[in-house]
């Protein structure tokens, strides 16, 4: 199992799929200031709950600050049996410029 790195432009296409899940692994303050629409903030405290609620056959987009930490998290989710995992290149910092219409607070 592995994951794919994905550009913001390609990630926007994922939002056509209503089954898409978005995991934001940033800190609570950064998440509160803004995040990808529909994202769930995931950390060590709630990752098990997230995995119980996120179907393993649904696309999963993992987002961090700049697209570095999300690669490790995407690898983790892929190793847990998620079949379609993406790491957002450029992270939320790039996303908020590339897709402001898909951001929320």
């Amino acid at each position: 199992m592995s994951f794919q790195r994905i550009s913001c432009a390609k990630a926007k296409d994922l939002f056509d799929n209503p089954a898409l899940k978005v995991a934001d692994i940033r800190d609570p303050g950064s998440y509160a200031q803004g995040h990808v629409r529909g994202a769930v903030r995931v950390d060590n405290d709630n990752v098990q709950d997230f995995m119980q609620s996120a179907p393993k056959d649904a696309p999963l987009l993992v987002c961090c600050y700049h697209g570095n930490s999300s690669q490790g998290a995407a690898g983790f989710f892929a190793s847990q049996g998620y079949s379609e995992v993406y790491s957002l290149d450029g992270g939320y910092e790039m996303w908020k410029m590339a897709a402001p219409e898909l951001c929320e607070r």
Side-chain angles (χ1 to χ4, degrees):
M1 295 287 185
S2 63
F3 67 92
Q4 296 176 41
R5 293 175 59 183
I6 189 171
S7 68
C8 289
K10 286 202 161 77
K12 286 168 82 170
D13 293 340
L14 294 175
F15 280 81
D16 293 338
N17 185 336
L20 175 69
K21 299 294 181 193
V22 182
D24 187 321
I25 61 168
R26 298 174 303 144
D27 69 88
S30 297
Y31 176 86
Q33 289 177 3
H35 51 269
V36 175
R37 185 179 76 203
V40 174
R41 200 184 79 71
V42 178
D43 62 19
N44 289 337
D45 294 333
N46 72 346
V47 68
Q48 294 301 323
D49 291 338
F50 176 81
M51 289 194 305
Q52 288 177 356
S53 67
K56 292 192 173 175
D57 59 350
L60 174 61
L61 179 64
V62 184
C63 173
C64 64
Y65 300 96
H66 301 287
N68 298 317
S69 301
S70 59
Q71 293 179 52
F76 168 77
F77 284 115
S79 76
Q80 297 301 303
Y82 285 83
S83 59
E84 190 179 343
V85 184
Y86 303 95
S87 172
L88 182 63
D89 277 350
Y92 185 72
E93 292 304 306
M94 183 77 72
W95 182 260
K96 67 185 181 184
M97 293 182 286
E101 73 281 8
L102 292 172
C103 295
E104 63 186 18
R105 290 179 183 219

